Each structure stands twice: as structure tokens, then as C-alpha cells.
Amino acid sequence: MTTTPSPLPPRPPPCWRCRIALLLIGVSVVASFVYLGIDYRALGSSESLRLMGKFIAEFFPPDVSPDFLARVGHGALQTLAVSALGTVLAALAGAVLALPASGRTGWLPRHAARFALNFLRSVPELVWAALMVLAAGIGPFAGALALSLHTTGVLGRLFAEALENAPREPEHALTLSGAGPVAAFSYASLPIVLPQWVAYTLYRWEMNIRMAAVLGFVGGGGLGQLLYFHLSIFQQQQAMTVLIAMFGLVTLVDFASARLRRGLGPAYA
């Protein structure tokens, strides 16, 4: 008994949009290299490599004197406080703006809140820091305000999307049972989205730790300001100690935040 082979499934038609998109991306990359005119031969020349090696060697050994380590420890605590305060303020403001941005209060408040969130997150943290330094003076308070403004735009949008995706049936059931809108939201919708909100906040805190260290370059205090000072006067060994402290702080916060987010389960997955 012979069996006839089953016919092969027809080949899908070529995706011309995908091919055109890939072609345009490739042309854009090539055009960018040509437009920038980067001289890679000079970058990889023996003289450039010698100068880079000499510059890197000047960072070693790091300065581990007790007095300087105490200053670095103070800067690390300041960076941690700036990131934590900025993230907490942003989470509170983002939660407030997320309610109208999710469309719960009408068409006009929704678009107004989304416009505010888009504006806040479209301005980089460094620009906010430069503006806050002019408004509040040089120091950690300006850095915390800059982080809170940008992060409010990010968290507010994420919080609003979580509210939009949350089921409304439990809240409607409480409303039909006679509960007010605030009580219905607090006991029905908020418990559903709160783990996801907390997960988003912790993840942004990880990112704000890194950014808080950078904001010191524009007067935001903390390790960044210490690093900028020592680099500007060519004290590379002290700058290396600050860089190691930055790495240790970011690693510690990343580990703690990841453990906390894993404890939330699949709510934020």
C-alpha cells in the first residue's frame, strides 16, 4: 500500500512592508555613519591607545584613606536619599495623575492629564536638574525634585495603563451595592493594581539610583557631584573610589529591588 505525500502548505506571501522597513533602517544606519564622519582609524591608532592606557592607569590605585572614604560614604547616603525621595514623590504624584489619565473622570481631564505626563517625561532628568538648581539652589534637594518631575511622567503613564487594563466589574458591583466611588475604587480596583504599581515604582527606583549619581554633574549633590569635582581637578585616584562606590550602591539597590519585585509574584509580569 502506497501513501501519497501530503502537499506542502503554501508559502506565505513576502512581507514587503517588513523588507522596506529593514531597508530603510539599514540606509539610515549607513547614512548616520557617513554624516557623522567618525574617524575610526584615529581612534584605534597606536598613539590613541597609548594615551587611553596612560589615562586609565592614572585611576589606580583608588584612594582608600579613611577621611576620603568617609566623604564617599556620606555622598553615597546622599545619593540614596535623593533617589528614594524623588521616587516616592513621583509615585504619589503619578498615582494622582493616573486617575484622570485612565479616563475615569471624563474626556477633558484624561487628555489634560496625559498631556502633563507626556510633558514631564519628555524633558530629561538633566534638564530638570539644571532648572531645579536655578530654582532651589545647588544641592540634593534640586536633584530630588528633578528626579520626581521626570519620574512622575513615567510612573503616571504606567499607573494609568494598569488602571485601564484592570477589570471594572468588582468596582461596578460595589457601586451598585450602594458604595461611593472612592470606597468602590479603594476596595475593588486599587487592590488589583497596587502590586503592579509597587513593582513599577521599585523598578524606577533602580533607574533613579543611577540617574541620581549622574545629576551631581549639574549640581544635584551626592556621588555625582563628588565625582565631577575630582575629575575636574584631575584627581583620578579619588574619582576611581567614587566610581567603585557608585557601582556598589547600584548593585546593592538592584539586588534588593529585584528581590522585592519577585516577592510580588506575577502581578507585575
Side-chain angles (χ1 to χ4, degrees):
M1 179 179 180
T2 59
T3 59
T4 58
S6 59
L8 295 175
R11 297 180 59 183
C15 179
W16 292 106
R17 290 184 178 180
C18 302
R19 295 181 180 182
I20 294 174
L22 290 175
L23 178 62
L24 291 177
I25 292 174
V27 171
S28 300
V29 172
V30 174
S32 298
F33 279 100
V34 174
Y35 176 75
L36 293 176
I38 301 175
D39 189 359
Y40 292 100
R41 290 177 298 178
L43 181 63
S45 65
S46 59
E47 180 65 17
S48 297
L49 295 176
R50 184 186 67 82
L51 292 175
M52 285 190 289
K54 179 183 177 182
F55 179 73
I56 293 173
E58 293 175 352
F59 283 83
F60 297 94
D63 187 355
V64 293
S65 60
D67 292 339
F68 187 70
L69 288 179
R71 291 176 56 194
V72 172
H74 175 72
L77 290 176
Q78 197 173 74
T79 298
L80 185 64
V82 167
S83 66
L85 179 59
T87 305
V88 169
L89 293 177
L92 296 175
V96 172
L97 290 174
L99 294 175
S102 63
R104 290 172 171 265
T105 56
W107 178 85
L108 183 59
R110 179 176 186 270
H111 284 76
R114 285 183 174 267
F115 175 81
L117 294 174
N118 290 336
F119 174 75
L120 289 173
R121 72 172 179 272
S122 66
V123 179
E125 294 96 328
L126 287 174
V127 177
W128 280 124
L131 295 175
M132 292 302 103
V133 165
L134 295 176
I138 295 177
F141 183 53
L145 289 177
L147 283 179
S148 64
L149 287 171
H150 179 82
T151 310
T152 295
V154 176
L155 288 180
R157 179 60 182 271
L158 294 174
F159 291 175
E161 291 181 353
L163 278 176
E164 290 178 347
N165 296 328
R168 299 289 297 272
E169 288 80 6
E171 187 174 346
H172 290 158
L174 288 179
T175 303
L176 293 175
S177 300
V182 176
F185 173 79
S186 302
Y187 287 99
S189 296
L190 185 59
I192 296 175
V193 299
L194 188 59
Q196 196 171 6
W197 284 11
V198 174
Y200 285 144
T201 303
L202 290 173
Y203 180 68
R204 285 301 307 185
W205 185 38
E206 293 180 22
M207 302 180 68
N208 285 343
I209 275 285
R210 303 177 183 90
M211 186 51 61
V214 176
L215 291 183
F217 281 81
V218 292
L223 290 175
Q225 192 165 336
L226 197 62
L227 178 64
Y228 175 74
F229 172 76
H230 290 288
L231 285 177
S232 63
I233 58 177
F234 303 102
Q235 292 182 347
Q236 281 88 339
Q237 293 179 341
Q238 288 77 10
M240 187 64 188
T241 305
V242 178
L243 288 173
I244 294 174
M246 283 183 176
F247 175 76
L249 183 62
V250 169
T251 302
L252 178 63
V253 171
D254 283 356
F255 176 77
S257 177
R259 290 291 299 270
L260 289 172
R261 286 189 286 116
R262 280 199 299 266
L264 295 173
Y268 67 93

